[in-house]
Amino acid sequence: MTRLASLRARLGLAVLTPLLLTACSSSKPIVQDDNAPPFVFRSLDLRQQDQRGRPAWSLTSPEARYDLRRQVAQAVTPKGVIYRDGQPAYRLQATSGTVLNDGEVVLLEGQIRVEQMGRQPVLIQASRVRWFPSRQRMEIDRQPRASDPQYRLSSQHATFLFDQNLLKLRGKPLMERWSRRFDPFKDPARSDPDAVVQVSEADWNPSTGELQARGPVQANRRVPGRSRSQPLQSLTASALAGNTQHQQLRLLAPVIFLDSVDQARLEARDVRLDLKARTASSRDPFQGRRASLSARGQGFDLLEAQTSVEIPAGCVITLASDVLTAGRCRWNWVTQEVEADGELELRRQEHQQITRGQRLRGRLGTEGSVLVSRPGGRVFSQFQVPNRPGPPRLQRPRPAPEPIRL
């Protein structure tokens, strides 16, 4: 009688009510047959409330088997709801479920879906989950993956803490990103991701999008418009943080970016990425190159949509034999146009030319031309003029010697 009463109180098994009433009204002791088949119920309805009397979780099934001796209930196609502060937060479903120890543990198997309800759609999928309802915890040890409209996160093992709304990914976490948005609940057959990021550990909040990942970070990105046969861009960092909903990420030093197609390399410290605006920025010293151009300075703002990079302080650009030093400069890597402001100096190897001014506009390189100005002042410029050979010197003919006279 004690086990049945405990099961009724903890799980709310309404289907056992007639059995309980019959057992309580009988004065004869119950003799349990260990070989007796388990009870088969037409439906299963498990519910639990929190300490304030609000719904905490529920689990239903159209058919279930209950083993009275082992206190194990096996459910077919179970469905449930997990509440937060009395409001539905997640709905779940699985191919099969096993309720152990009067609801202390629920083992879900098969095609498992945990859907976040609300404004931000998130789908968590797996093939086996151990759910601890009273601890508000899920252990996912087979194929855990979580998808929102633009990201999919996966790993070898994951832990979902409902009270913190935190998904902890462990065992080679992988983050995939698509530029195009999808409906995660429909789970369409997505194309290859635009970017793939590998980290050692990751913590993600499905509701807010907050992300913390420990490195080493290894990312690969396919540039839009490039052929699939061309190499991917690669990026490494020591750690990663940001927000997947805001599409903003922060890469921690040291950050190294490589693009073999454009012969580009960037070495920097902390770098911030705005994936929606397609920008990258830093306020720490950096150095980089692209083909024959190299640059360094105190921070940068890279605008991919405008194919340009701006160095806000301490700019030094070297292209072919030209070296430009300025307080601030901007360079377009497609048109090769350059702008510079502040106390600037342009050194060109040809004629050993040195030009100093306040503003520069033009194109660097042997084929380019620049205009240097100093509003309200003079531009200083010096160069060497090579010596040109002049016409041959005309010498006066010597007079013929007089003939010898005898």
Side-chain angles (χ1 to χ4, degrees), residues 93-388:
Q93 66 182 55
T95 304
S96 63
T98 303
V99 184
L100 306 173
N101 299 330
D102 297 348
E104 182 179 347
V105 183
V106 179
L107 178 63
L108 302 173
E109 294 182 291
Q111 299 294 326
I112 302 169
R113 294 169 59 95
V114 181
E115 300 180 3
Q116 177 174 268
M117 305 169 66
R119 299 177 57 184
Q120 182 64 22
V122 173
L123 172 64
I124 300 174
Q125 296 173 286
S127 57
R128 188 172 70 180
V129 169
R130 287 177 296 160
W131 176 24
F132 303 88
S134 61
R135 296 162 56 184
Q136 302 188 60
R137 183 187 187 98
M138 273 188 177
E139 296 290 343
I140 312 172
D141 56 9
R142 285 188 184 175
Q143 300 174 321
R145 57 194 183 278
S147 304
D148 74 358
Q150 287 189 268
Y151 288 88
R152 182 167 62 202
L153 292 85
S154 59
S155 63
Q156 296 174 344
H157 173 76
T159 300
F160 194 12
L161 306 177
F162 289 101
D163 56 341
Q164 303 178 39
N165 205 26
L166 186 65
L167 181 65
K168 303 172 76 68
L169 298 159
R170 301 293 183 267
K172 298 182 179 179
L174 196 68
M175 183 173 69
E176 301 168 286
R177 181 183 182 273
W178 285 262
S179 300
R180 175 188 172 190
R181 293 176 65 87
F182 294 86
D183 183 349
F185 292 165
K186 295 181 180 179
D187 195 26
R190 302 190 180 189
S191 58
D192 292 338
D194 300 318
V196 178
V197 182
Q198 178 82 55
V199 297
S200 61
E201 295 181 356
D203 296 339
W204 183 55
N205 187 312
S207 294
T208 65
E210 291 294 329
L211 174 69
Q212 295 286 337
R214 284 161 287 284
V217 178
Q218 176 67 54
N220 293 301
R221 174 180 179 259
R222 186 176 302 282
V223 179
R226 283 188 182 176
S227 169
R228 292 183 176 275
S229 62
Q230 292 181 304
L232 302 176
Q233 293 178 334
S234 67
L235 185 146
T236 59
S238 63
L240 182 150
N243 190 293
T244 56
Q245 291 186 24
H246 299 160
Q247 300 291 304
Q248 295 178 348
L249 299 175
R250 179 188 176 194
L251 300 166
L252 303 186
V255 178
I256 299 177
F257 168 81
L258 296 173
D259 187 340
S260 60
V261 176
D262 289 336
Q263 304 178 43
R265 178 185 177 91
L266 171 70
E267 297 179 19
R269 294 187 58 79
D270 293 1
V271 176
R272 296 183 180 274
L273 303 177
D274 189 325
L275 302 178
K276 188 175 182 180
R278 296 166 57 194
T279 64
S281 62
S282 176
R283 289 299 173 264
D284 296 316
F286 83 97
Q287 59 181 0
R289 65 173 176 81
R290 186 184 179 97
S292 61
L293 180 140
S294 63
R296 67 179 188 269
Q298 185 68 31
F300 65 88
D301 292 291
L302 188 148
L303 311 174
E304 185 180 22
Q306 301 179 24
T307 65
S308 64
V309 60
E310 181 175 328
I311 303 174
C315 170
V316 179
I317 293 179
T318 302
L319 178 60
S321 60
D322 298 345
V323 179
L324 172 65
T325 304
R328 182 197 70 84
C329 59
R330 182 187 182 101
W331 172 62
N332 186 304
W333 61 78
V334 174
T335 64
Q336 298 298 328
E337 294 180 354
V338 64
E339 301 177 5
D341 295 285
E343 292 297 327
L344 63 88
E345 178 183 271
L346 175 62
R347 291 177 174 265
R348 314 191 83 162
Q349 186 175 0
E350 185 179 7
H351 304 315
Q352 300 295 309
Q353 180 179 351
I354 300 175
T355 303
R356 298 186 180 95
Q358 194 72 26
R359 178 182 297 175
L360 179 147
R361 300 291 185 269
R363 296 176 61 186
L364 295 179
T366 57
E367 301 298 328
S369 61
V370 296
L371 174 63
V372 179
S373 63
R374 181 185 294 272
R378 294 181 178 180
V379 174
F380 169 83
S381 184
Q382 71 177 36
F383 54 89
Q384 294 182 2
V385 178
N387 294 326
R388 296 182 179 180

Side-chain angles (χ1 to χ4, degrees), residues 49-54 85:
Q49 297 177 338
D50 61 17
Q51 296 180 351
R52 299 175 60 179
R54 300 174 300 184
D85 300 328

